[in-house]
Amino acid sequence: PSVLDSFALLSGQLNTLNKVLKHEKTPLLRNQVIIPLVLSPDRDEEIMRQTEGRVPVFSHEVVPDHLRTKPDPEVEEQEKQLITDAARISPDVAQKQIQSLNKMCSNLLEKISKEERESESGGLRQNKQTFNPADTNALVAAVAFGKGLSNRRPPGSGGSVQAAQPGAAAIIAGASGMQQVPMSAASAQQQPMLAGVQIAQAGQPGK
């Protein structure tokens, strides 16, 4: 019975407190001044949790900084000096200063945006691909394996080159560029090796 009586008393006091706080004539708590009642130099885990680890203790050293409602005296003096200087300037002079400041800011922003655009365009130029991988692969395949080379004789030339002739093989082996090698139908069927490179068949399409 004593526990129930104490609980009923606490419940009644809490309800009364809630009614007082919810009353329209009660001022907002955010407008009230906070006065520290308990100061301790020991580490407080609850304060650490509420401040996300910024304030480990609530002592005499940190209370004036965290509960201050006015700036430092030095900052107050600087603010007063700025207000005094601003009051001495006429509206026309102030307007001219505002326009000059806006012009400087706009020029600075324009320069920054121009540099950003130039850097982006320079990066695009550096990253731009200067070759076609498909063409490169086709050239390598043609040089190394003779893929896609035509084995038919160009019009207007007579005769045929035999694979067994050492002179023709030496000429083809020593050539620095790609050349069309004419062959007869019989040699094309046998697929002779010219200087270690197999010539493609006549049925393959040429480039």
Side-chain angles (χ1 to χ4, degrees):
S2 61
V3 174
L4 293 177
D5 293 340
S6 300
F7 180 79
L9 179 61
L10 290 174
S11 178
Q13 291 178 350
L14 289 174
N15 290 331
T16 304
L17 181 61
N18 286 330
K19 288 180 181 180
V20 172
L21 292 177
K22 292 179 180 179
H23 197 272
E24 59 182 5
K25 293 184 179 181
T26 302
L28 296 176
L29 293 179
R30 66 170 63 95
N31 297 331
Q32 304 301 312
V33 178
I34 299 177
I35 301 176
L37 299 178
V38 178
L39 299 178
S40 174
D42 300 331
R43 182 184 179 90
D44 194 338
E45 298 296 335
E46 183 65 20
I47 293 180
M48 282 282 292
R49 185 183 62 80
Q50 292 180 359
T51 59
E52 298 179 354
R54 294 188 297 271
V55 183
V57 294
F58 200 64
S59 61
H60 297 78
E61 182 180 0
V62 300
V63 163
D65 294 333
H66 291 287
L67 299 184
R68 175 181 294 154
T69 57
K70 294 176 64 177
D72 292 335
E74 294 82 2
V75 178
E76 286 186 348
E77 292 296 331
Q78 293 179 3
E79 188 176 358
K80 289 179 181 178
Q81 184 66 29
L82 291 175
I83 292 174
T84 305
D85 295 341
R88 295 175 182 173
I89 301 175
S90 62
D92 296 336
V93 176
Q95 190 65 27
K96 290 181 180 179
Q97 291 182 356
I98 291 173
Q99 292 177 357
S100 62
L101 180 61
N102 291 335
K103 186 176 180 180
M104 291 173 58
C105 293
S106 60
N107 292 336
L108 183 61
L109 289 174
E110 185 177 356
K111 289 182 179 179
I112 293 174
S113 60
K114 183 178 179 181
E115 290 181 359
E116 289 180 352
R117 289 194 299 268
E118 290 179 355
S119 62
E120 290 178 358
S121 61
L124 290 177
R125 285 196 300 268
Q126 292 178 358
N127 296 331
K128 186 177 180 180
Q129 199 170 16
T130 57
F131 65 95
N132 190 349
D135 293 345
T136 303
N137 295 333
L139 287 174
V140 171
V143 172
F145 307 107
K147 183 178 179 181
L149 296 180
S150 175
N151 59 0
R152 286 176 296 190
R153 189 170 183 80
S157 61
S160 61
V161 179
Q162 298 294 331
Q165 295 179 357
I171 292 174
I172 295 175
S176 59
M178 293 184 297
Q179 298 178 355
Q180 289 185 347
V181 181
M183 296 181 63
S184 62
S187 61
Q189 293 178 359
Q190 297 175 0
Q191 295 182 358
M193 298 293 292
L194 295 182
V197 179
Q198 184 178 3
I199 303 302
Q201 295 182 2
Q204 295 181 350
K207 276 205 165 183

